[in-house]
């Protein structure tokens, strides 16, 4: 496995997962899921998304991938990142700044997946990306620094945390498919993935 990849299986127990899910459900009412589009073609993603934090990741036909402070349809600022997630970041990310974005991906049906990509829309490429999975298990693929070349599959189950830091921060990764029916957590099945990211460059600390 590429250095900097850290895996914490079932880091959240079932009760913690349920209580976080309840908080997310309430926030999603105000921060509705939207369907991002591929740049230039406008083809919709197979996952739905929303964000929490001062910046959210969005994408559409005309402007492509970017971070912005407001929801693309409601135009309201994103709601804050839930405290429990900030606590997980502080406990595990080993990074002095708080995350600015928590992207929520909802893999809602049999076709939901995420193609091989790198997270490179963040100016801060040093801060790790923190990922928490809820609901059905995902076949997560992680390769190296090039699109081609060997990759590993890891099954991400509900409550699992992954950190992409160090070299792994720049690794190609994606979700090949979801094992529908593998968890009872979400009422209608499917999977939620939450990734926390630092977007703006780290502050330079001087004496
Ligand atoms: O759903 C996942 O586990 C990965 C999500 C991801 O790679 C992303 O949102 O950039
Ligand atoms: Fe990613």
């Amino acid at each position: 496995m590429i250095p900097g990849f850290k895996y914490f299986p079932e880091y959240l127990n079932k009760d913690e997962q349920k209580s976080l899910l309840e908080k997310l459900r309430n926030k999603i009412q105000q921060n509705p899921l939207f369907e991002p589009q591929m740049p230039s073609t406008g083809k919709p993603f197979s996952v739905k998304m929303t964000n929490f934090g001062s910046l959210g990741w969005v994408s559409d036909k005309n402007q492509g991938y970017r971070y912005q402070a407001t929801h693309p349809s409601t135009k309201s600022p994103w709601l804050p990142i839930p405290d429990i997630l900030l606590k997980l970041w502080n406990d595990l990310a080993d990074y002095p700044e708080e995350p600015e974005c928590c992207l929520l991906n909802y893999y809602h049906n049999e076709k939901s997946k995420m193609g091989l990509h790198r997270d490179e829309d963040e100016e801060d490429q040093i801060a790790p990306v923190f990922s928490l999975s809820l609901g059905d298990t995902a076949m997560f693929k992680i390769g190296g620094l090039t699109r081609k070349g060997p990759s590993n599959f890891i099954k991400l189950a509900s409550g699992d945390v992954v950190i992409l830091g160090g070299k792994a921060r720049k690794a190609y990764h994606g979700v090949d498919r979801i094992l529908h029916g593998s968890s009872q957590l979400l009422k209608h099945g499917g999977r939620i993935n939450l990734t926390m990211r630092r977007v703006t460059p780290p502050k330079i600390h001087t004496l």
Side-chain angles (χ1 to χ4, degrees):
M1 192 58 87
I2 185 157
F5 178 91
K6 290 191 197 151
Y7 174 48
F8 302 89
E10 227 186 318
Y11 195 78
L12 287 192
N13 66 35
K14 281 278 165 316
D15 286 342
E16 292 167 328
Q17 294 171 34
K18 280 185 194 150
S19 116
L20 172 58
L21 184 61
E22 229 14 75
K23 295 204 171 79
L24 296 174
R25 280 198 179 112
N26 293 334
K27 285 189 180 258
I28 284 174
Q29 313 235 325
Q30 277 186 67
N31 253 35
L33 293 162
F34 63 91
E35 207 169 56
Q37 302 168 338
M38 296 299 289
S40 8
T41 63
K43 190 174 176 278
F45 279 48
S46 63
V47 296
K48 294 182 184 177
M49 293 181 178
T50 190
N51 290 273
F52 309 111
S54 54
L55 290 169
W57 190 89
V58 299
S59 179
D60 57 28
K61 185 175 175 183
N62 295 327
Q63 288 176 267
Y65 302 159
R66 64 198 186 274
Y67 281 94
Q68 64 180 42
T70 53
H71 190 288
S73 354
T74 67
K75 315 287 183 214
S76 299
W78 308 101
L79 295 178
I81 301 178
D83 285 345
I84 169 176
L85 290 173
L86 291 177
K87 183 175 181 318
L88 292 177
W89 171 277
N90 288 327
D91 291 347
L92 297 176
D94 193 20
Y95 195 73
E97 314 282 351
E98 299 248 298
E100 291 158 309
C101 167
C102 176
L103 170 65
L104 183 154
N105 294 315
Y106 178 38
Y107 297 80
H108 53 101
N109 69 20
E110 309 285 327
K111 294 198 182 113
S112 301
K113 58 183 177 167
M114 192 170 287
L116 211 58
H117 68 280
R118 305 203 278 191
D119 296 354
E120 42 190 12
D121 302 319
E122 304 75 26
E123 277 180 76
D124 186 338
Q125 285 284 312
I126 307 293
V129 171
F130 171 108
S131 149
L132 168 69
S133 298
L134 292 173
D136 286 337
T137 299
M139 295 295 291
F140 182 77
K141 189 177 185 175
I142 170 125
L145 303 181
T146 57
R147 186 174 281 282
K148 291 188 182 147
S151 52
N152 289 296
F153 276 102
I154 161 160
K155 281 188 182 177
L156 294 184
S158 201
D160 290 1
V161 168
V162 159
I163 306 231
L164 300 178
K167 219 173 183 182
R169 176 66 181 80
K170 293 184 164 61
Y172 277 89
H173 60 276
V175 171
D176 262 28
R177 66 192 178 94
I178 304 296
L179 308 180
H180 285 275
S182 48
S183 156
Q184 307 306 312
L185 188 75
L186 304 191
K187 235 187 282 178
H188 304 291
R191 169 175 186 259
I192 289 175
N193 175 260
L194 298 152
T195 47
M196 285 186 280
R197 297 108 184 276
R198 178 85 198 168
V199 181
T200 59
K203 292 182 198 112
I204 298 177
H205 296 282
T206 48
L207 288 174

